[in-house]
Amino acid sequence: MQNYFYSLSETLFKKLQGKEQLLLGFSGEDSDFVRLNHNKIRQAGSVSQREISLDLIEGKRHTQAHIELSGESEQDKAKLIACLIKLRQQREFLPEDPYLFFATEINNTEFHHDNEVVNSQQAIEQIIHTANGTDLVGIFANGKQYSGFANSMGQRNWHSNANFNFDWSCYHSQDKAVKNSYAGFSWNREQLSEKFGKIKHQLDILSKPSKTITPGKYRAYLSPSALNEIISMMAWGGFSLKAHRTKETPLLKMIEQGSKLSPEISLIEHHARNLAPTFTQSGFIKPEKVKLIHNGQYKDCLVSPRSAMEYDSKTNSDSEYPGALDLAGGNLAEKDILSELGTGLYINNLWYLNFSDRNVCQLTGMTRFACFWVENGEIQAPVNVMRFDDNVFDLLGTNLLALTQMREFIFDASSYGNRSNSSIELPGALINSMQFTL
Amino acid sequence: MDSPLSQIAQRFAKHAPSADFWTLRLSDETQENICVRQGVMQPVSNQLAQGGLLTVVVNDGCGYCATSDLSLKGLQRAFNQAKEWAKLASGLSLLKADDYPRPEHRAQYETPVQLHWNDMPLNEKITLLQDANTALKINDHIVDWQAMLGMRCEDTLLTSSAGAHIEQRFNYINPGLVAVANKGSITQYRTGGGLQSARQGGLEQLPLLEFPLAAPTLAEEAVALLSAEQCPQGKMDVVLAPSQMILQIHESIGHPLELDRILGDERNYAGTSFVTQDMFGSYQYGSELLNITFDPEHTEQLASYAFDDEGTEAKREYIIRDGILQRPLGGKSSQSRTHLKGVANARQADWFRPPIDRMANLNLEPGDLSVEDMIANIEHGVYMQTNRSWSIDDSRNKFQFGCELGRVIKNGELKGLVQNPNYRGISATFWRNLAGVGNQQSFQVQGVTNCGKGEPNQAIYVGHASPSCHFSDVDVFGGAS
């Protein structure tokens, strides 16, 4: 695949005229997707995608295209050359772009982690066998992902890996279920069985009569997965330089009023994790990490090349949405979570969050999957779904009691357009008071 | 039928390997997007995508393979891979052989277009956007402002081993205007001019979406919201404009009635439904004023088509009539699994994703009230416009929605602006409090361009049309600022 991309690139670079420059990005995947319901196959298939992005530049004028490739060399070359001609014609009508910014220093990189691909059919047979007797529903995704960059100045970058991501729930009844995921690079049947063992324990608890809590404030433990939903909302503009400069950030209070989160909160964008490419689609190499929040205080934004030009800053990211977050752990031992929670809610998952007042990072959302009522450090009953409406500056500020020592690595299972390569590593959080409304 | 896609399909059909049944859906898509932000032309984006999805049935098993290699060899390779999946699924499948639709129609459909994208040269489009962008910057409180315009054209061809040959061309137009206003620690937005509610058709649709005419009004409203009062709190009446009704319909009628959710396919991701199969035909979903249709016949709506992606002919059907639930949003395979009558709504968002049950055009039929009469009937309430926040539980019952703009209603009259209008409720009871439905004059065709669902994930265009509606006894509140 790498050679294919580089070969197409060379063809296009030879077609450049005068002082033209060309930036090429490549993304692709060869993935299997098996969708399961009631522990049977609902839909099973494979997807092969390859796309090249072109940015044809002359001086400060440029125009872009994204083209799906067939994988057949001559056909793709003809298609790309035709596109290049169209872009050249289109560019003549366009004004100069004052915020055009791309790497001119050559930085070649290569990362390959795609030698071993899990056998999807064997994995599915093992999943269905291991889950026998449970009402399993979910998605198994598996295969290779590719990213590349090449420019007419001679830079070449490549990143490929092979991984799987099995994301599933086991239902007890109606909306009562336990959610889990298993993602990685090599499949291990024992690890899968171990996860199902833990699920069966939680399903036993779900068989108890469920409790409906009344609206009000409750002490709560948020699992890493639940906390991830809150961090994801902060990330919706919260770390973007553009959103900060246009006052659209949900962390506006941190910028305008100097508000802080708890000193326990230290959040970085860990580009060096290497699940996503370390190069941008403009040819820049990302720094190993960007400190976003340190000891509760806002530090740096993620800065795209375009924002770097617009706001006279230094680029450190591709888009301004994080893809490799790392939230530092705290002091709460895993064995002490229930006893420290005492009486309150043990929340395994949150769902469908949104802002009820973006200016102050006020959030609403629902509990979902295996959430439990706890009394005196012991799980009593599953709770029916509840809506919360609370403020990040309270939840992760004055009301944050502790973060767990244990951290969980979550590999994003989303696949809009293509399989995500985003990830996050984070602890759970013990919250003194969380507001539930409906 | 000698289109490029037709030639590819015919070449494949001549050499198709054997299987119990197969379909081939080909797609050829072009997009162009232009945007001016803060007076600066952003890079023009052109997109070209072409690919095919082969689906093969073997006994009770079905498998698919999506490929962008549309050569005969490429399609044969994809066929063989799909067949391998079908064989694996055969002994492990949730569906039975009879559940898979076997389309055999031959038909053509094309979005009517009066003014084509290329009828307006690029430099004229840029001038249009520059002018709209300038109109948004009314004073220094406007801190970000954008005007955008895009087109999307997709040709699709569905063929099958039973002789189906369904060619459809869809043309979409995507305009939008955004004004962001700020004063200190308060930021307010107004969006419009078709943003997130694109239409099928050509440039003739722009005036109908108030593009670019809405620009100064949107900017003035964004600025005015900065100093507006917080939305009042308490139980009261609300009037929802079509720009919020589309979201209310989408989340609390559309999604819970998708048959694949009711069947549990979505329980790991998009969620389940409070609606059960036994409710159809008898369940009181809303007041008797509530009439909801699946309507593929408004050609300008986002999800108008002649056939769905399983090859089922699309026809207008009542989903809820006089408040009573009639039928689910389920395509042919879901209908076969449940023995319920549904609609033609099995759709795929991209050439590389298999069809699943989606909303298409889901509309609330107009009633007989003018908006003036509706407001005149209200002593104390809030009028809300343009969705900006949405959250609902996985059974699609407990919801909370927020809007960009609110206006107090007092003693039958519209009063001043209020900021951060929010309301919450429960689907199963909210629609029973529908107290008034606007007439044809307030009926607007809009839509949603980012409806997400499915594993693997699919984001698809969905059409909604609605008049303004009046609801009583709603839990309303403002922001926390």
Side-chain angles (χ1 to χ4, degrees), chain A residues 176-209:
Chain A
K176 299 291 180 298
V178 180
K179 176 134 176 122
N180 214 321
S181 65
Y182 175 36
F185 305 98
S186 57
W187 184 259
N188 184 312
R189 191 172 189 165
E190 284 69 39
Q191 278 183 26
L192 181 75
S193 299
E194 200 178 308
K195 283 177 179 279
F196 272 96
K198 287 181 182 167
I199 285 173
K200 281 175 180 160
H201 171 66
Q202 290 198 318
L203 283 172
D204 288 343
I205 304 172
L206 288 179
S207 67
K208 294 182 177 181

Side-chain angles (χ1 to χ4, degrees), chain A residues 35 37 41-42 46 64 66 68-69 90 135 167 169 247 352 355 357 359 368 387 389 415-416, chain B residues 37 46 48 64 66 68 85 92 94 187 251 265-269 353 389 391 398 400 457 480-481:
Chain A
R35 190 175 199 196
N37 185 13
I41 292 176
R42 169 65 185 89
S46 303
Q64 300 175 338
H66 297 264
E68 200 86 45
L69 300 174
Q90 201 174 52
D135 181 4
D167 183 88
S169 318
K247 314 290 185 187
Y352 221 131
F355 295 107
D357 188 346
N359 282 321
R368 189 181 181 187
R387 171 168 296 287
D389 196 311
S415 50
Y416 286 105
Chain B
R37 174 176 169 259
N46 303 272
L48 299 173
Y64 68 86
S68 50
W85 282 116
L92 305 167
L94 182 67
T187 298
E251 302 290 3
D265 293 354
E266 289 284 337
R267 290 177 298 165
N268 184 56
Y269 178 59
R353 295 283 185 255
S389 174
S391 173
K398 292 182 175 182
Q400 179 172 317
N457 304 148
S481 307

Side-chain angles (χ1 to χ4, degrees), chain B residues 32-245:
Chain B
E32 192 174 317
N33 293 291
I34 313 167
C35 175
V36 175
R37 174 176 169 259
Q38 297 193 12
V40 175
M41 178 81 194
Q42 307 295 296
V44 174
S45 170
N46 303 272
Q47 292 183 43
L48 299 173
Q50 194 178 51
L53 185 88
L54 264 156
T55 306
V56 175
V57 177
V58 176
N59 299 322
D60 282 340
C62 179
Y64 68 86
C65 183
T67 179
S68 50
D69 183 354
L70 302 183
S71 66
L72 181 59
K73 273 188 182 172
L75 290 174
Q76 285 174 330
R77 221 171 10 243
F79 183 99
N80 291 333
Q81 198 159 356
K83 193 172 177 179
E84 285 304 307
W85 282 116
K87 284 181 190 166
L88 172 80
S90 183
L92 305 167
S93 178
L94 182 67
L95 275 65
K96 298 184 179 64
D98 290 347
D99 292 332
Y100 304 110
R102 318 244 164 164
E104 50 191 34
H105 287 281
R106 300 181 75 82
Q108 283 184 303
Y109 174 82
E110 184 172 350
T111 307
V113 174
Q114 290 171 30
L115 191 58
H116 287 268
W117 179 255
N118 288 329
D119 290 345
M120 182 187 276
L122 179 59
N123 56 347
E124 282 183 31
K125 291 187 195 112
I126 293 170
T127 303
L128 177 73
L129 290 177
Q130 291 280 17
D131 291 347
N133 196 244
T134 303
L136 287 163
K137 177 64 175 169
I138 56 167
N139 62 34
D140 288 344
H141 285 304
I142 298 292
V143 292
D144 201 15
W145 59 104
Q146 292 183 65
M148 59 277 273
L149 185 59
M151 65 77 79
R152 179 179 161 206
C153 177
E154 186 184 20
D155 289 332
T156 67
L157 169 60
L158 179 69
T159 60
S160 76
S161 54
H165 190 106
I166 301 168
E167 279 194 271
Q168 302 188 88
R169 169 171 287 185
F170 306 107
N171 293 283
Y172 306 91
I173 193 86
N174 288 280
L177 300 164
V178 180
V180 183
N182 171 265
K183 190 162 75 177
S185 56
I186 297 177
T187 298
Q188 292 289 335
Y189 304 72
R190 285 293 285 134
T191 59
L195 189 80
Q196 291 295 321
S197 62
R199 285 189 178 200
Q200 286 198 58
L203 296 165
E204 77 281 354
Q205 297 293 329
L206 296 182
L208 301 168
L209 291 163
E210 298 183 312
F211 184 92
L213 283 180
T217 307
L218 291 171
E220 284 160 15
E221 288 173 346
V223 172
L225 282 167
L226 294 173
S227 46
E229 297 282 315
Q230 280 289 346
C231 179
Q233 184 165 351
K235 290 265 183 183
M236 63 189 78
D237 289 3
V238 297
V239 173
L240 303 181
S243 54
Q244 171 60 19
M245 279 302 300

Side-chain angles (χ1 to χ4, degrees), chain B residues 373-389:
Chain B
D373 287 345
M374 192 181 292
I375 286 168
N377 291 336
I378 297 171
E379 196 176 320
H380 174 52
V382 179
Y383 170 84
M384 298 189 194
Q385 206 176 327
T386 316
N387 178 264
R388 78 169 187 193
S389 174

